[in-house]
Amino acid sequence: MPNSKIFLNKNQHKRILAGHLWIFSNEINPEKSDLKDFQPGQPVHVHAHGGTFLGHGYVNPASLISVRILGYQANETLEDLLEKRLASALALRRDIYSKPFYRLMFSESDLLPGLIIDRFDQVLSIQLNTAGMDRQRDTIVRAVSNLLPVDGVVFKNDTRSRVLEGLKPEISTTGSVPETGTVREGDLELTFSLAGGQKTGWYYDQSPNRTLFAGMCAGKKVLDVFSYVGALAAGAARQGASHVVVVDSSRQAMDLVHQNMAINRIPQGSWQGICSDAFEVLDSMARDSERFHAISLDPPAFIKRKKDFQSGLAAYQKLNSMAMELLHPGGIFMSCSCSQHLKLSQLVDIIRKAALKKKRHLRILRFCHQGPDHPIHPAMDETNYLKGVIFRVD
């Protein structure tokens, strides 16, 4: 299908000229380019109201984010750019990582909006989160297979963003995909469910924060809340924690915690797994006067949409206050949020207020961010989503 033209309303081009890659439906001039005339994923050329060419991308009339910009040369196509952009993303990761375990493609930040690829050596987990990328499924697999050895691919296309794009959620595989994947993180070997795990199956974004926190846990009693499959807990145990308590509500995740502790030869008596709701566990521990020397909180996004902000903020406030109650004086506390709508300053303020109520003194030791395989697009704050803080709490 040939490229068609999208015209913006007056004064709606400035954000695009600044480098942002999204165009919202209310920014498009309906008289010059009626969205009903376009097909989901159709290639388009984007023009300012006066006709100036701004860039090319793809459109989805069913989505609030109606156009995603791919490039600025009128003669380019997505097919032309795929392997070039993937090669650039791969070169960046190879500069940073010595082992083939990382997020290979991070959507807008790597200039392929809607495409996520996590690499687990020769197995890939791919998310096609937009109609434009969904149309390129086979081309994407061919392009990445030209760049590195690929035994199998699992398509984890079960995200909320696909629903917003009018796409059917689905999980499928091609090639040889084992039931469980393997990650090497530092000196740990960790296993997880490829098809049945959360997100792409793994959380590479937290890898440097897990390593940093674990290095502070020698000789300490540690609580790891929202542990998933126990990567942080195993790292803390390997770094000499005296005892580690792991909390997650997923039975599948807790089964994998047991496997990962065994794989990494963590003695059974040095850790405990609790499969239950985090808020209920923290409340029970407070009533039993349990105390820890180090606590990590890595909850799911409590604020998925702007309209969820107040309820999500209350959840973060409650969770952090409950966790702080369990810290010994001088304890280490890492609190994280992957809610894009919660700012780092707001997370700090939540914990500051909790400390004031409990008459505790905070010292910030480190701010935590997503790993370098999740680079940040400087014109898109949306790509800067993960934030965390490590405190000493006296």
Side-chain angles (χ1 to χ4, degrees), residues 341-359:
H341 298 293
L342 185 74
K343 297 182 182 299
L344 175 61
S345 59
Q346 292 170 319
L347 178 62
V348 172
D349 204 47
I350 287 169
I351 300 165
R352 179 187 63 81
K353 289 177 179 177
L356 281 174
K357 287 182 179 180
K358 298 179 186 303
K359 295 181 171 52

Side-chain angles (χ1 to χ4, degrees), residues 21 34 38 40 50 81 88 113 131 161 172 194 197 204-205 238 263 270-271 279 286 299 328 336 350 356 369 374:
L21 303 180
D34 191 337
F38 294 87
L81 292 174
S88 176
S161 58
S172 61
L194 273 162
Y204 277 129
D205 54 357
R238 180 65 64 83
I263 290 169
S270 67
W271 72 280
F279 290 91
H328 280 295
C336 298
I350 287 169
L356 281 174
H369 304 280
H374 292 64

Side-chain angles (χ1 to χ4, degrees), residues 6-270:
I6 290 283
F7 288 88
L8 303 186
N9 289 320
K10 286 183 178 180
N11 301 319
Q12 296 298 329
H13 60 285
K14 296 178 182 179
R15 189 166 44 81
I16 304 306
L17 288 178
H20 205 284
L21 303 180
W22 293 353
I23 296 171
F24 295 92
S25 58
N26 62 356
E27 296 172 327
I28 295 172
N29 188 316
E31 296 177 0
K32 292 185 175 183
S33 39
D34 191 337
L35 284 172
K36 295 194 295 293
D37 296 335
F38 294 87
Q39 298 298 313
Q42 179 180 338
V44 292
H45 283 173
V46 178
H47 297 260
H49 186 267
T52 303
F53 174 76
L54 298 174
H56 71 91
Y58 58 80
V59 65
N60 186 352
S63 175
L64 177 62
I65 304 172
S66 294
V67 179
R68 297 175 196 254
I69 300 292
L70 291 163
Y72 305 99
Q73 301 298 320
N75 60 346
E76 291 175 331
T77 67
L78 176 53
E79 292 87 345
D80 297 332
L81 292 174
L82 269 171
E83 191 161 331
K84 184 190 305 183
R85 298 274 168 85
L86 284 164
S88 176
L90 178 60
L92 169 63
R93 276 67 176 182
R94 283 176 167 167
D95 283 345
I96 299 170
Y97 298 95
S98 60
K99 299 175 183 177
F101 301 96
Y102 41 71
R103 173 149 292 182
L104 170 60
M105 170 55 57
F106 186 43
S107 197
E108 280 79 4
S109 291
D110 288 307
L111 300 180
L112 286 177
L115 178 60
I116 299 289
I117 304 177
D118 278 359
R119 184 182 183 189
F120 308 105
D121 199 358
Q122 297 186 40
V123 176
L124 305 178
S125 179
I126 296 180
Q127 289 182 334
L128 306 170
N129 290 325
T130 59
M133 285 299 166
D134 197 61
R135 287 162 59 122
Q136 300 294 330
R137 179 184 303 230
D138 294 340
T139 307
I140 290 167
V141 173
R142 283 196 301 271
V144 75
S145 297
N146 288 337
L147 297 171
L148 50 85
V150 178
D151 289 341
V153 174
V154 55
F155 291 97
K156 287 297 297 296
N157 293 329
D158 56 350
T159 62
R160 177 176 171 268
S161 58
R162 277 182 67 89
V163 176
L164 296 175
E165 286 272 313
L167 298 171
K168 180 181 178 182
E170 53 93 13
I171 298 175
S172 61
T173 62
T174 182
S176 178
V177 177
E179 182 176 343
T180 56
T182 299
V183 170
R184 288 178 175 83
E185 191 167 294
D187 61 353
L188 297 172
E189 180 177 321
L190 300 155
T191 190
F192 63 96
S193 174
L194 273 162
Q198 299 172 17
K199 303 288 186 175
T200 58
W202 193 251
Y203 291 94
Y204 277 129
D205 54 357
Q206 282 282 23
S207 179
N209 303 327
R210 288 192 290 262
T211 300
L212 177 64
F213 182 81
M216 299 180 178
C217 290
K220 293 180 171 64
K221 184 180 178 183
V222 178
L223 176 62
D224 179 14
V225 188
F226 304 100
S227 178
Y228 191 39
V229 300
L232 183 145
R238 180 65 64 83
Q239 292 297 319
S242 60
H243 191 74
V244 180
V245 178
V246 181
V247 178
D248 200 278
S249 62
S250 165
R251 172 48 60 190
Q252 180 192 51
M254 192 57 64
D255 289 343
L256 287 163
V257 172
H258 282 266
Q259 291 185 39
N260 285 324
M261 292 298 191
I263 290 169
N264 291 284
R265 299 180 181 178
I266 308 301
Q268 289 187 359
S270 67

